[in-house]
Amino acid sequence: MSTEKQFDVVVIGGGPGGYVAAIRAAQLGFKVACIDEAQNAKGGPALGGTCTNVGCIPSKALLQSSEHFEHAGHAFKEHGINVSGLELNLGQMLKRKDGVVKANNDGIVYLFKKNKVSFFHGRGTFAGKAGEGFTVQVSGASADTLTAKNVIVATGSNPRELPNAPFDEKLILSNTGALAIDAVPGTLGVIGAGVIGLEMGSVWRRVGAKVTVLEGLPAFLGAVDQQIAKEAQKAFTKQGLEIHLGVKIGNITKGDNNVTVEYADASGAAQTATFDRLIVSIGRVPNTNGLGFESVGLQLDERGFIAVDDECRTSVPGIWAVGDVVRGPMLAHKAEEEGVAVAERIAGQHGHVNFNTIPWVIYTSPEIAWVGRTEEQLKKDGVAYKAGTFPFMANGRARALGDTTGMVKVIADASTDEILGVHIVGPVASELISEAVVAMEFKASAEDIARICHAHPTLSEATKEAALAVDKRSLNF
């Protein structure tokens, strides 16, 4: 075998966990290869994984475009901006989204070249052990055999299908199809009121679809602090999202150009609804099939995940796994942190990932973001706490923006005042949550945030005021 096919580290998967792991390993002086099989419309490489291609990035592009459309049709008038003849050019909206995706794809290719990461376009499969390392076969656009002492598996996840309604990406859609509907559907059904369901439902509602969301759980956004979740549900319902909780999905039947869903509502009564398109967003499953794990003695658990320890080591020394294929939240930024940490551990350093300070975001309008524990979790764990809230309706910058929905909530330990959780529903919550993540990582108290000077007028003042409210001394509400 030629020396150029021998590497110190081989990464299988070019999504957020994989490409970041490859770059960090290269920065640390290793000879690194990354294998990824995703293709663009022309058959070329499409680095970035689900996140860049059919997840985080394109969804945010469409959310932004659809929000502009809704503002032009409804909110601009209040600002003294009169718009006549407003029309939706869906083709251009989708074209812009594709352009945003391509820019991210190309950016990763550039980063690989900059950091001297060798890229192989194809499917990476374990082919056995090779001395102290492993052989990885690449098939597809590239046909190569690579060896490395360390292999990082970062192959991500796939959308979970309903057993009686497989995805065809025309009528029954995963996140992939939901991002590429070529005409605004008159009626759109969404099964699953999670992140993807709410974001995609919001996009298509804004541009004219009547959207119905069917959720099996009895509580809306059960993982979210329920004070925040109820505020969000109220806002979404006011916007026109029809949300049904506690439903049990029955038969799903495809017609020539529609889908009929039979379900039992929360009271147990039989219901039937017919939609032009149906998005199914009921979670994701690890992408671990057909990777040749048996050739190296690596076992999967009953759900298809790769078992790892706290440092992302698998049961086979030299094989690591990060991101959606292992335990923990299926979040792009969690995968990135694990990828960096593994590269550093291979180098003998002490990579760090704190699961307690991983932020969560739902990019609806209002946005929802949180870090740490909810009131419900703290009550269940028997932790004594105190909480403070501050509404955006009392925030000057929010009033100027014309977006006063929601609040910031700070929860602190009753005796030490250490911040245990921060929960936000409102404008740009995705950006505001970072202050809370930093504060919690440094074990800050609510008093610390309350004492820090925040610029005026800013939305971030709501975080300061919520921290003051923990001690019942907010100044502006």
Side-chain angles (χ1 to χ4, degrees):
M1 182 182 299
S2 58
T3 55
E4 66 268 16
K5 302 298 171 61
Q6 295 176 348
F7 296 89
D8 300 315
V9 179
V10 166
V11 182
I12 304 176
Y19 88 76
V20 167
I23 289 171
R24 183 65 185 125
Q27 289 176 343
L28 290 165
F30 292 115
K31 185 179 181 184
V32 182
C34 182
I35 308 165
D36 189 82
E37 66 177 340
Q39 295 184 1
N40 58 30
K42 296 180 179 178
L47 280 161
T50 291
C51 175
T52 292
N53 293 297
V54 289
C56 326
I57 301 302
S59 65
K60 302 312 155 293
L62 288 184
L63 282 160
Q64 187 66 62
S65 296
S66 63
E67 192 164 2
H68 283 328
F69 180 77
E70 185 167 61
H71 284 175
H74 301 284
F76 279 6
K77 190 173 182 180
E78 185 182 343
H79 289 268
I81 304 169
N82 295 325
V83 177
S84 60
L86 181 67
E87 292 182 5
L88 175 71
N89 183 340
L90 182 57
Q92 174 58 31
M93 189 179 288
L94 295 174
K95 182 180 177 182
R96 176 186 177 274
K97 177 259 297 181
D98 291 341
V100 172
V101 169
K102 185 178 184 302
N104 280 269
N105 294 147
D106 293 347
I108 299 169
V109 172
Y110 162 76
L111 289 170
F112 276 0
K113 289 179 180 175
K114 175 185 174 184
N115 290 281
K116 297 181 173 58
V117 174
S118 298
F119 172 62
F120 294 85
H121 188 204
R123 183 175 182 81
T125 307
F126 283 99
K129 295 184 177 180
E132 294 184 0
F134 307 92
T135 300
V136 180
Q137 200 71 41
V138 183
S139 58
S142 300
D144 294 280
T145 301
L146 316 182
T147 62
K149 188 175 180 181
N150 287 278
V151 179
I152 303 172
V153 181
T155 48
S157 61
N158 297 314
R160 186 190 302 276
E161 291 184 317
L162 283 168
N164 60 338
F167 298 121
D168 62 11
E169 304 300 8
K170 294 177 182 177
L171 293 175
I172 300 177
L173 314 171
S174 69
N175 53 291
T176 300
L179 289 160
I181 303 175
D182 58 4
V184 178
T187 55
L188 174 67
V190 180
I191 297 178
V195 177
I196 295 169
L198 290 174
E199 290 185 359
M200 288 296 92
S202 293
V203 165
W204 295 107
R205 180 202 61 76
R206 291 171 187 167
V207 296
K210 181 180 180 350
V211 178
T212 302
V213 181
L214 304 174
E215 169 58 52
L217 295 174
F220 182 67
L221 291 175
V224 177
D225 186 279
Q226 284 302 290
Q227 184 178 6
I228 298 297
K230 286 171 184 173
E231 186 80 8
Q233 184 180 2
K234 187 168 63 177
F236 299 149
T237 300
K238 185 178 179 182
Q239 291 167 5
L241 279 182
E242 188 177 320
I243 301 169
H244 298 276
L245 303 174
V247 308
K248 187 174 181 180
I249 302 296
N251 291 328
I252 296 177
T253 309
K254 286 200 298 183
D256 291 338
N257 203 31
N258 57 34
V259 184
T260 299
V261 180
E262 298 174 29
Y263 65 96
D265 64 21
S267 69
Q271 304 288 346
T272 301
T274 299
F275 306 108
D276 296 325
R277 297 290 184 273
L278 178 68
I279 297 172
V280 176
S281 55
I282 55 170
R284 299 181 66 82
V285 294
N287 180 25
T288 50
N289 289 332
L291 292 173
F293 292 141
E294 64 282 353
S295 71
V296 291
L298 185 62
Q299 301 289 320
L300 302 176
D301 70 15
E302 66 279 0
R303 297 182 300 153
F305 285 93
I306 301 172
V308 293
D309 65 12
D310 290 345
E311 296 197 334
C312 292
R313 291 182 174 90
T314 71
S315 59
V316 179
I319 300 180
W320 311 70
V322 302
D324 289 5
V325 296
V326 302
R327 79 286 178 267
M330 288 184 168
L331 298 170
H333 44 283
K334 174 261 196 183
E336 290 182 336
E337 294 304 305
E338 287 183 329
V340 168
V342 165
E344 292 175 349
R345 288 163 187 157
I346 290 172
Q349 299 180 7
H350 300 281
H352 168 79
V353 181
N354 183 356
F355 275 35
N356 296 321
T357 55
I358 293 175
W360 296 71
V361 182
I362 304 175
Y363 294 86
T364 44
S365 181
E367 290 186 351
I368 305 164
W370 69 99
V371 61
R373 287 186 280 179
T374 66
E375 270 202 75
E376 291 73 26
Q377 289 170 329
L378 291 168
K379 285 176 182 175
K380 183 181 176 182
D381 294 342
V383 177
Y385 66 88
K386 50 189 177 177
T389 62
F390 187 83
F392 282 108
M393 69 177 182
N395 175 269
R397 182 69 191 278
R399 291 188 190 121
L401 287 172
D403 191 354
T404 57
T405 301
M407 70 182 79
V408 178
K409 179 176 185 175
V410 175
I411 306 174
D413 186 280
S415 58
T416 68
D417 198 40
E418 181 183 344
I419 297 169
L420 303 176
V422 176
H423 308 270
I424 307 173
V425 54
V428 295
S430 56
E431 302 294 339
L432 295 176
I433 201 64
S434 293
E435 177 181 11
V437 175
V438 172
M440 287 183 64
E441 193 66 54
F442 281 92
K443 304 284 187 183
S445 65
E447 178 77 4
D448 287 329
I449 288 185
R451 291 286 180 186
I452 292 171
C453 183
H454 289 62
H456 175 77
T458 60
L459 296 170
S460 68
E461 288 177 287
T463 305
K464 175 187 175 80
E465 290 277 2
L468 284 165
V470 168
D471 196 37
K472 296 182 173 54
R473 55 189 177 93
S474 61
L475 298 169
N476 286 283
F477 184 70

